Amino acid sequence: MNHKLPKKIFSILIGIILTFVFIYLGFKVLSGVMTRAEGMVPRDVVISDITQNSVKITWTTDVETQGVVEYGTSPTALNFFFPESKSEKNHLVELTLLSPGTTYYFGIKINDKKYDNGGVPWTFTTSSGQGESRSVVPTEVINTP
């Protein structure tokens, strides 16, 4: 009977150790996922080089991501989209073939999560002509995941 007691204690200790190892590993995995999600949030969104037919939109993320700019002429209908060609931390999208003198609205989509300017899409208006080119003051993302 003495031989069964040490085996039982040994089994219990192994079970406790394995439980702590799995809890630790699970915490590490979840914290990595949460940190990665926070690192995907677009920051320092800048609208620049607005012409009659084009605009440049830039932003940064803490981790490499591949975003999609969704845009349109109504804040409730962002029907057009322009995906980035590769993952990076410093993002640049140039929208072309836009209509002169038109107000556009846009948001940024990363991994099926949509980001905007604090609950409303960012906005810009293309120039109406006469060769003017404008930049808009940088706007930071207010909302977080």
Side-chain angles (χ1 to χ4, degrees):
M1 215 174 230
N2 277 341
H3 291 286
K4 288 187 179 185
L5 187 57
K7 285 183 180 180
K8 190 172 191 177
I9 291 173
F10 181 73
S11 296
I12 291 171
L13 286 175
I14 293 295
I16 290 171
I17 292 170
L18 287 175
T19 300
F20 281 115
V21 167
F22 285 124
I23 289 171
Y24 174 77
L25 291 175
F27 177 75
K28 283 298 208 181
V29 167
L30 286 178
S31 65
V33 168
M34 297 305 274
T35 301
R36 182 161 169 76
E38 290 173 7
M40 291 184 191
V41 176
R43 293 181 294 105
D44 304 324
V45 174
V46 177
I47 303 163
S48 64
D49 299 338
I50 301 170
T51 68
Q52 282 183 287
N53 306 104
S54 66
V55 65
K56 288 182 181 174
I57 301 169
T58 60
W59 71 92
T60 60
T61 52
D62 293 334
V63 297
E64 289 189 352
T65 61
Q66 188 171 2
V68 176
V69 172
E70 297 178 330
Y71 65 101
T73 55
S74 166
T76 58
L78 306 180
N79 298 327
F80 304 103
F81 63 93
F82 189 93
E84 290 184 284
S85 60
K86 62 182 179 175
S87 292
E88 43 195 335
K89 290 182 181 181
N90 296 309
H91 307 267
L92 167 64
V93 168
E94 185 171 3
L95 302 179
T96 58
L97 303 175
L98 303 175
S99 298
T102 303
T103 298
Y104 287 90
Y105 303 86
F106 74 94
I108 300 169
K109 185 176 176 181
I110 299 173
N111 284 359
D112 294 327
K113 175 134 177 75
K114 295 181 181 186
Y115 299 94
D116 54 32
N117 190 22
V120 295
W122 286 280
T123 186
F124 63 88
T125 302
T126 53
S127 63
S128 56
Q130 282 63 12
E132 63 184 288
S133 178
R134 304 176 297 160
S135 291
V136 177
V137 177
T139 308
E140 247 184 79
V141 174
I142 298 169
N143 63 332
T144 56

